[in-house]
Amino acid sequence: MLFQGFFGKGVLSRARPDHSLSDQWEQHEGLFLPIIPESRYEELLKCAGSVLSAQGLDEKGVHQTLLRLSQPVEMEAVRREVGGWGVNGNRGERGRVEPGSEGGASPHEMTDHLTSEVELEHERNCRLDQQDPNPDQDSDSSCGPEGLVPGPGFVLVVSDSAAEGGVRQVRRTPFSLTEYLQLSLEEAFFLVYSLGCLSVYLQQEPLSVIQLWRRLRSLRPDFVSSYAAYHHCRSRGWVPKEGSGAKYGVDLMLYRKGPPFYHASYSVVVERVDGVFRGSALRPFSWRSLAALSRITANVSKELMLCFIIYPGDLSEAELDSPVCLGRLKVQEIIVNRWVSSRERAEQDDI
């Protein structure tokens, strides 16, 4: 059940990242390139032209720049430009690819004009980490068979004309359009600690589980309670999402499979208590604020859940400095429902 659902969200999307140049990639003479139709490439050129015009470049300069971009690029020129990027099939020189391998490398003439929207993509998105601590091992982020690496700032443009038989040309990417996956603190630690499928680096050094736990605790004092609630919900087959809860004044939203498939079923408030349900509340409630939150939750067709993280009385601060303390915490859920007198009378009459 721990593997159900998905993790994170795209920085530009409501759920999974879906803003990219292309979902299709193809090997082309030793490079792995995104494929886009010619009509899509023309749209990207228009977008780049609009940005250049808005930044003060005259019409002639815009036209000349876009004309240079749209020219087919010979593979020898591509290889020269990506010279030190490991396009030689040697495993020891291939390096590790950082997230994001699409986007727009541009001629030197565009450097002064293409800023945040239109950038040199090989500088921003497609850098290879030449300081790979394990150069003799295959990286998980490598793309395909030996010798294939993402082509920085280039795309494979396919002709829309049937008469041309889908001719493929390598061209420069005129517009930077790359979306990254964003994880919450709880999601990141869960992937490291519970599933062991993520490594977190700080200043080029990998963090151990203990180091990451302490780092996250320093970033957010209530991390132990929030992660305990997150881990508990995951173990029950739910997909907890932290960011969605801010819209409804709660800590977590629980989804059956994830935001793309279903609306959230529960709004969760996380509280820390001791063995007799006493302790300083992470979110102090008055009867009025609790009633207001309950009504808001009901108006969006969800149920309000109070998730109490129960700390044993003899749990020391030193024990909290390690994720081993999670084994000593207990979790108790309480569903809060509004009492509506008319509804209760109707139900009693039916009985």
Side-chain angles (χ1 to χ4, degrees):
M1 298 296 283
L2 292 176
F3 295 93
Q4 274 197 316
F6 66 93
F7 299 85
K9 67 176 292 295
V11 294
L12 302 177
S13 306
R14 298 183 62 183
R16 63 167 60 92
D18 55 12
H19 289 77
S20 60
L21 288 176
S22 175
D23 294 328
Q24 296 181 336
W25 291 67
E26 182 178 296
Q27 178 186 359
H28 185 75
E29 299 185 26
L31 289 179
F32 208 52
L33 299 170
I35 304 175
I36 60 174
E38 191 170 13
S39 56
R40 169 64 172 160
Y41 188 78
E42 294 296 329
E43 293 177 1
L44 294 176
L45 284 176
K46 291 180 181 179
C47 291
S50 299
V51 172
L52 292 172
S53 298
Q55 293 175 351
L57 191 62
D58 58 53
E59 183 176 349
K60 182 179 179 180
V62 171
H63 176 73
Q64 291 177 346
T65 301
L66 297 185
L67 186 62
R68 293 191 197 97
L69 276 177
S70 60
Q71 296 300 313
V73 182
E74 296 294 334
M75 289 305 299
E76 288 303 320
V78 175
R79 285 181 177 27
R80 284 196 301 271
E81 185 160 333
V82 301
W85 291 49
V87 192
N88 52 16
N90 293 329
R91 179 176 300 182
E93 300 180 19
R94 193 169 64 196
R96 195 175 56 213
V97 182
E98 293 185 357
S101 55
E102 306 170 354
S106 54
H108 297 297
E109 291 81 1
M110 296 181 65
T111 305
D112 295 333
H113 305 290
L114 303 185
T115 55
S116 58
E117 294 87 358
V118 184
E119 300 182 11
L120 289 171
E121 194 66 14
H122 59 82
E123 293 181 4
R124 190 173 76 92
N125 291 330
C126 303
R127 297 186 304 270
L128 290 183
D129 187 355
Q130 299 296 341
Q131 299 177 351
D132 193 338
N134 297 306
D136 293 328
Q137 297 181 7
D138 283 329
S139 171
D140 291 338
S141 57
S142 61
C143 299
E146 187 69 38
L148 292 183
V149 296
F154 299 96
V155 293
L156 201 57
V157 181
V158 181
S159 172
D160 295 328
S161 173
E164 298 181 15
V167 174
R168 286 163 162 72
Q169 294 180 335
V170 177
R171 300 183 189 177
R172 297 182 182 273
T173 308
F175 202 78
S176 171
L177 186 61
T178 303
E179 185 174 15
Y180 301 99
L181 182 69
Q182 186 178 51
L183 297 172
S184 68
L185 300 185
E186 291 79 8
E187 287 173 325
F189 190 77
F190 185 85
L191 292 174
V192 172
Y193 176 66
S194 299
L195 301 187
C197 61
L198 178 69
S199 296
V200 178
Y201 285 72
L202 178 64
Q203 297 177 350
Q204 305 299 323
E205 293 295 330
L207 296 178
S208 66
V209 173
I210 297 292
Q211 290 173 327
L212 180 61
W213 174 266
R214 292 172 180 172
R215 180 74 177 179
L216 297 180
R217 281 195 68 202
S218 68
L219 293 176
R220 205 170 69 199
D222 64 338
F223 176 75
V224 176
S225 298
S226 64
Y227 179 76
Y230 179 92
H231 190 109
H232 174 78
C233 295
R234 272 283 179 185
S235 67
R236 297 297 186 272
W238 292 94
V239 178
K241 302 298 289 184
E242 182 185 41
S244 305
K247 295 185 291 186
Y248 305 108
V250 296
D251 299 304
L252 294 171
M253 305 296 290
L254 296 188
Y255 296 83
R256 287 180 58 190
K257 292 185 178 180
F261 311 105
Y262 300 96
H263 289 289
S265 302
Y266 294 94
S267 301
V268 183
V269 174
V270 180
E271 288 291 351
R272 170 179 176 168
V273 295
D274 59 16
V276 290
F277 275 72
R278 292 181 304 186
S280 57
L282 298 176
R283 181 183 304 212
F285 278 114
S286 65
W287 284 111
R288 177 174 294 184
S289 62
L290 182 59
L293 180 59
S294 177
R295 179 150 191 169
I296 291 173
T297 303
N299 286 345
V300 292
S301 302
K302 299 172 185 12
E303 291 189 81
L304 178 61
M305 177 190 297
L306 300 182
C307 183
F308 292 97
I309 310 301
I310 305 173
Y311 286 65
D314 60 345
L315 187 65
S316 66
E317 185 64 26
E319 290 180 276
L320 290 176
D321 221 19
S322 166
V324 177
C325 70
L326 295 170
R328 300 197 60 196
L329 304 182
K330 297 181 180 179
V331 181
Q332 177 69 53
E333 311 104 328
I334 296 178
I335 302 297
V336 180
N337 290 319
R338 290 179 60 229
W339 183 76
V340 182
S341 59
S342 58
R343 184 191 307 165
E344 293 295 327
R345 286 199 304 270
E347 291 178 356
Q348 291 295 327
D349 293 341
D350 292 340
I351 295 176

